Amino acid sequence: MLEDVERWLSTRSWSVEDRPLKKLIAAKRSTGSTVSVVLPALNEEETVGEIVAVIRRELMTARVPLVDEIVVIDSGSTDRTSEVAAAAGARVVHRDEILPRIPAVPGKGEVLWRSLLVTRGDIVAFVDADLKEFSADFVSGIVGPLLTDPGVDLVKAMYDRPLGSASGQGGRVTELMARPLLNMHWPQLAGFVQPLGGEYAARRSLLERLPFPVGYGVELGMLVDSLHLVGLDALAQVDVGVRKHRHQDGQALGRMSAAIYRTAQLRLARGHMIRPSLTQFVRGERGFEPRTHSVDMEERPPMTDIREYVSRRAA
């Protein structure tokens, strides 16, 4: 392993237990920082309510005022995601209502990018809405270093990811696609345990300068771009335990991998993909039938290029 990665692991990898809530609250008060939590959601009525309730109950009280706002961005749910999230105490904003001048496209990165326009926090924490047995440590863990260390700009959560009853077997796209890409092309990022994890926090001052791939490539793109923009020592990770969530099937993982590869390719050469699509096969009445899906190619510009965002910041 590279010497700088070994050094980084010893100086920028922590446990949630390293920063008790009392220490975080004191740091938040002394710096005057504000914290927003964003949950991107699409048909997550079974889990989103409990996540919101836990954050409000444990991190948004008079005794523990760590989080200032929690916003659920609904990207077109057909179930009761919005109603459940609102009932639990979140502010719910529909993706298409944000920046209507630019038509929305499907994708997680699209939702995260637009969330910057409807949140106010100096620190923005992103949390996936499909987590089961959710712990408030996922939020306090990733926010903690940003409150206590002015040299840290982005913090990823790290955790065990079981697959069914098998410990540590989750994160298949991470192990088969993202980790090899990072080790070969951006070896300074080889120390991240969960580079594609959906739980991370960053300073708004960094997020607003980053381009956002609209789809599944957003996490890899954000890591790579942050490395180039602020350097390895401004990035960190915190162990928050175990992450349980809904797993996707193999074909969905294939499409995710294609989007991540595309994101990496753009950053390697800013070149053109010969065939920006992925063909997969499903068994039908006449044998295996091809299904072709386009690969996420679009990226949103840094928010500092969006006039509505600049106007809001100036107001």
Side-chain angles (χ1 to χ4, degrees), residues 170-210:
R172 292 161 288 174
V173 174
T174 293
E175 300 303 330
L176 297 174
M177 174 61 71
R179 201 177 307 286
L181 281 172
L182 292 176
N183 275 261
M184 288 186 289
H185 299 296
W186 298 280
Q188 284 186 299
L189 298 174
F192 277 94
V193 176
Q194 298 293 351
L196 300 185
E199 289 68 49
Y200 48 96
R203 300 190 191 281
R204 179 177 294 273
S205 57
L206 171 62
L207 293 172
E208 65 187 12
R209 292 184 288 159
L210 295 174

Side-chain angles (χ1 to χ4, degrees), residues 87-98:
R91 177 161 62 94
V92 178
V93 183
H94 290 270
R95 176 198 62 195
D96 296 349
E97 297 174 358
I98 307 170

